[in-house]
Amino acid sequence: MENVLEQIAAYKEEIAALQPNGAASLEEYRIRFLGTKGIVKALFAEMKNVPADRKKEFGAILNDFKVFAEERYDSWKAALSGAEESGAASDTDLTLPGDPLPLGSRHPISLVRNEILSIFRRLGFSVSEGPEIEDDWHNFSALNLPENHPARDMQDTFYLNQNPDWLLRTHTSNVQIREMQKGKLPIRIVTPGRVYRNETISARAHCFFHQVEGLYIDEHVSFADLKQTLYFFVQELFGRDVKIRFRPSYFPFTEPSAEMDISCLLCNGKGCNVCKHTGWVEILGCGMVHPQVLENCGIDSNKYTGFAFGMGIERITMLKYQINDLRLFSENDVRFLQQFTSSL
Ligand code: 2U9
């Protein structure tokens, strides 16, 4: 019996020194001490070998030990489940880096728009935006396109059923008109945005697309300022080797008007399918703001002059990334969209 008492004292010391550090070691403890084939059960089985006069004393010591072993188990278990709830001491290693979420990529139109805006920001232009649903005056009349003007036919328009004076803007020039009406000069803005035209959808045309237009109005603004600004712009966008040329054109809102070509990026001006063997590709339209447009917005055209330009972002994106079908931009096919990365 003395041996057994010594053994119980040793077990008590062992248990006092134990610190199970997870569910697995706690279960190991339970099986070893409290299980049906465990130490406590085995010690109770020793009872039959204890002399009758010491059974009471042995029983009390054994009971104490059993209660001690059970209490230890209960308190460890409680501590462990509390710790698991707060995330500690579980099998999860919280110091491991998390599983990365799959990152999307920017739409190529957004990438090129951001690149264009960043170039003009560096030249001192600020970005201005306005409504896509517009009234006839801000979209047409103020821009020298009075009712029944043949130039209105150039841009087939979506009108709203509720009110034939309302339409989906056909260009972002409505933003410039609204800015000019505020009467705060000088003005140096670029206006990115979505525009709408009633066109049959094909590889080369769509019923909506994106533009960036620009406007600079101050005293003494000249066509030379326009040329230098746009030259800087294309060199930044396409590289230092790009060449430019201006061709005379006609827009009702600018006079004189021009279209600007750049040397073909694919064949370096030698002639290919993209430039239709001319060596040049058109990228934007521009001109000096028509004095009548200035007056329409309350700006004194004797004192102020300005230049304006407009470009389709889809067209520039197609040239930059050699994309041959406009419809790819609005189909949201991830196999197409995943191919574009940029820091902007
Ligand atoms: C104001 C005055 C003048 C903006 C201009 C163009 C020439 C032009 C086209 C390029 C391709 C439209 O997207 S496109 O189809 N734009 O050629 N845009 S000058 O002129 C303005 C704008 C606002 C107050």
Side-chain angles (χ1 to χ4, degrees):
M1 163 154 171
E2 299 311 321
N3 281 351
V4 181
L5 292 178
E6 271 171 33
Q7 187 71 64
I8 289 173
Y11 282 143
K12 254 187 142 167
E13 265 177 46
E14 186 188 333
I15 292 171
L18 273 179
Q19 192 59 60
N21 59 2
S25 53
L26 183 65
E27 181 62 2
E28 205 177 290
Y29 169 86
R30 189 192 66 76
I31 291 167
R32 177 155 177 251
F33 285 97
L34 306 171
T36 45
K37 291 179 184 159
I39 287 167
V40 170
K41 266 265 155 58
L43 288 171
F44 271 99
E46 286 293 321
M47 197 66 147
K48 61 180 184 301
N49 304 323
V50 175
D53 60 333
R54 296 194 64 186
K55 271 198 198 302
K56 197 174 168 196
E57 176 202 354
F58 184 78
I61 291 171
L62 203 51
N63 244 339
D64 259 8
F65 177 66
K66 182 178 175 241
V67 168
F68 174 74
E70 283 173 348
E71 275 177 1
R72 269 318 174 79
Y73 175 75
D74 290 343
S75 76
W76 281 327
K77 194 171 172 190
L80 196 68
S81 66
E84 262 173 1
E85 266 163 33
S86 66
S90 68
D91 293 339
T92 313
D93 181 352
L94 298 177
T95 64
L96 285 173
D99 291 335
L101 288 171
L103 269 187
S105 54
R106 282 204 202 285
H107 194 284
I109 296 294
S110 301
L111 292 176
V112 172
R113 179 203 55 206
N114 292 350
E115 226 175 306
I116 293 170
L117 296 182
S118 129
I119 296 168
F120 283 107
R121 274 202 196 93
R122 296 209 293 279
L123 283 171
F125 285 75
S126 50
V127 176
S128 189
E129 289 176 290
E132 291 185 13
I133 298 174
E134 189 51 280
D135 58 58
D136 186 279
W137 191 83
H138 287 92
N139 191 81
F140 286 131
S141 304
L143 285 149
N144 230 4
L145 287 134
E147 231 172 290
N148 304 321
H149 191 290
R152 287 203 186 201
D153 302 339
M154 284 159 62
Q155 303 179 0
D156 289 328
T157 310
F158 288 117
Y159 286 90
L160 269 64
N161 287 337
Q162 295 98 312
N163 184 341
D165 192 46
W166 287 348
L167 47 87
L168 299 182
R169 68 179 178 190
T170 57
H171 42 209
T172 61
S173 313
N174 64 326
V175 184
Q176 279 103 307
I177 294 294
R178 287 175 178 279
E179 203 67 44
M180 286 159 73
Q181 282 184 304
K182 290 180 190 164
K184 246 188 103 204
L185 293 158
I187 293 171
R188 193 155 48 187
I189 53 169
V190 272
T191 61
R194 184 175 281 192
V195 303
Y196 301 83
R197 293 186 191 176
N198 191 354
E199 303 241 17
T200 308
I201 296 171
S202 71
R204 300 179 157 270
H206 212 291
C207 58
F208 67 81
F209 64 101
H210 299 81
Q211 283 190 329
V212 173
E213 289 194 347
L215 178 71
Y216 178 25
I217 299 177
D218 202 350
E219 292 179 45
H220 314 302
V221 175
S222 70
F223 202 90
D225 297 322
L226 165 64
K227 285 173 80 174
Q228 192 54 51
T229 302
L230 294 178
Y231 189 34
F232 176 83
F233 163 66
V234 291
Q235 282 194 324
E236 288 294 295
L237 192 65
F238 294 111
R240 296 276 147 183
D241 295 335
V242 73
K243 294 182 193 62
I244 56 167
R245 75 173 185 188
F246 287 86
R247 283 177 292 102
S249 186
Y250 170 76
F251 306 110
F253 30 83
T254 46
E255 182 58 36
S257 304
E259 278 165 308
M260 193 176 95
D261 297 342
I262 58 167
S263 47
C264 182
L265 304 160
L266 292 180
C267 63
N268 267 328
K270 290 186 194 75
C272 67
N273 280 341
V274 170
C275 61
K276 300 195 193 86
H277 303 280
T278 63
W280 295 95
V281 284
E282 181 194 321
I283 64 154
L284 55 81
C286 57
M288 300 305 292
V289 179
H290 197 293
Q292 186 60 54
V293 174
L294 295 173
E295 295 293 338
N296 290 346
C297 300
I299 293 173
D300 182 353
S301 62
N302 291 313
K303 186 171 176 200
Y304 290 99
T305 52
F307 68 71
F309 55 86
M311 65 191 98
I313 305 179
E314 275 80 352
R315 177 164 179 76
I316 292 182
T317 309
M318 288 168 100
L319 285 172
K320 203 171 157 73
Y321 292 110
Q322 293 166 44
I323 297 162
N324 58 11
D325 192 327
L326 254 179
R327 290 168 292 195
L328 286 163
F329 291 124
S330 49
E331 282 168 349
N332 282 341
D333 186 330
V334 286
R335 292 168 302 179
F336 171 72
L337 297 174
Q338 269 166 352
Q339 297 176 56
F340 303 92
T341 49
S342 161
S343 55
L344 283 171

